[in-house]
Amino acid sequence: MIKEAIGIGDTELEAQADACRQLGVETYEAEFEIIQRAEKKVFGLFGGSKAKVRAFIKASPAEAAERFLKDVLAAMGLESVTMDVKESDENGVVFDLTGEDIGFVIGRRGETLDALQYLTGLVANHVDNSYYKVTVNTGDFREKREKTLEILGRKLAFKAVKTGYKTSLEPMNPYERRIIHTAVQKVQGAISWSEGENLNRHVVIGPDPKAPKNHRGRRGGKSFDRRPKRTNDVTVNDTPKREPLNEGEGAGLYGRIG
């Protein structure tokens, strides 16, 4: 991405300084192109013109994302929040935020942090219109959140197998829904799917109707047999192949941003 400004001054140096003030950078941070050289008035009275200079700066996706994130945090009044920037090997960048007011950055169940990551990713991906992965984190918050969701998914999957009833979870973004789906895939006899639209899209976990019955039990006052079917003493397993559902795989928090 290229940011530019046209500076005007009595001299080329003054024009360069004027353009850099507009960009909010120092003269050593920018490159220049002379549009019009300064000309002195004839006899101090006639003609003459000021210098015009085009100043421009080229920003990488990481630089554009960092500048945007700093501006947003400043607008939120979170001057105490500091940022550690680390470019990853996966064509992306990780911003690790720390500070006294970090709770305001995280928000309820990480919603503010997720929104910051999404918007910062939009800025980075519009630099050269190619996919660039942006992660905004604070300490190990995302790792803890992922672990919590994995435990929740497995717990509700076992509950679905035991009770035969389904459970609807709260709305989640595609990244978190995929964590739940992946955890449920590891529990035989349980399945998960997504329902709802846009911000109300959520995961539902229930028993797999195609899974073999593996024990006796009672439901609604009626007996049912969950033992595997046998034909000539050979167990018939008709459980379908269960591939993880695609809820934004490999695309970060909100899916690929172009």
Side-chain angles (χ1 to χ4, degrees):
M1 178 177 65
I2 298 179
K3 293 180 61 177
E4 62 178 55
I6 304 298
I8 300 176
D10 292 331
T11 66
E12 292 171 13
L13 290 179
E14 290 181 2
Q16 290 178 1
D18 178 51
C20 288
R21 277 194 298 270
Q22 297 178 48
L23 292 173
V25 299
E26 300 295 333
T27 53
Y28 61 81
E29 297 179 272
E31 299 181 49
F32 302 98
E33 175 187 353
I34 298 175
I35 299 176
Q36 177 179 294
R37 294 186 180 278
E39 294 182 358
K40 294 182 179 181
K41 294 181 179 180
V42 179
F43 302 119
L45 299 174
F46 307 104
S49 62
K50 292 182 177 292
K52 289 185 178 181
V53 173
R54 170 178 171 261
F56 57 95
I57 54 176
K58 297 180 180 179
S60 67
E63 291 169 338
E66 180 179 358
R67 188 177 296 114
F68 170 80
L69 189 54
K70 285 182 176 179
D71 290 345
V72 172
L73 292 175
M76 293 173 66
L78 302 177
E79 290 82 2
S80 65
V81 175
T82 59
M83 182 188 310
D84 179 58
V85 184
K86 182 179 180 181
E87 293 198 48
S88 66
D89 297 332
E90 302 176 351
N91 191 35
V93 64
V94 177
F95 298 105
D96 190 15
L97 309 180
T98 56
E100 295 180 358
D101 298 325
I102 202 64
F104 293 102
V105 177
I106 296 175
R108 178 178 176 272
R109 293 174 179 166
E111 291 176 354
T112 304
L113 192 67
D114 290 347
L116 282 174
Q117 177 170 296
Y118 174 65
L119 294 174
T120 306
L122 282 178
V123 172
N125 279 271
H126 278 88
V127 170
D128 53 13
N129 294 320
S130 62
Y131 179 63
Y132 190 79
K133 183 178 180 180
V134 172
T135 301
V136 180
N137 200 0
T138 170
D140 57 353
F141 173 80
R142 293 203 179 279
E143 290 77 6
K144 288 182 178 178
R145 176 66 172 164
E146 182 174 339
K147 189 65 177 178
T148 298
L149 292 174
E150 288 177 351
I151 294 173
L152 176 64
R154 288 177 59 85
K155 178 180 178 180
L156 294 179
F158 282 118
K159 179 181 178 181
V161 174
K162 181 178 180 180
T163 66
Y165 294 104
K166 65 181 182 180
T167 303
S168 296
L169 280 68
E170 65 181 7
M172 297 178 183
N173 58 59
Y175 173 72
E176 294 188 338
R177 292 200 303 270
R178 177 160 179 79
I179 294 174
I180 295 291
H181 288 313
T182 302
V184 174
Q185 294 293 329
K186 300 175 182 178
V187 179
Q188 290 297 323
I191 59 172
S192 62
W193 63 95
S194 293
E195 294 182 354
E197 300 295 333
N198 302 322
L199 295 178
N200 292 319
R201 194 152 180 81
H202 59 278
V203 175
V204 181
I205 301 174
D208 186 352
K210 297 182 180 180
K213 308 304 181 183
N214 52 27
H215 68 275
R216 288 185 176 274
R218 296 185 61 84
R219 183 187 306 164
K222 296 182 179 180
S223 298
F224 60 94
D225 193 346
R226 291 186 177 178
R227 292 176 301 176
K229 292 178 291 184
R230 293 179 179 272
T231 302
N232 296 328
D233 294 328
V234 177
T235 300
V236 178
N237 188 348
D238 57 357
T239 304
K241 186 177 182 181
R242 305 163 72 245
E243 298 293 342
L245 301 180
N246 184 5
E247 287 280 3
E249 180 179 8
L253 183 61
Y254 287 90
R256 179 165 179 157
I257 303 171

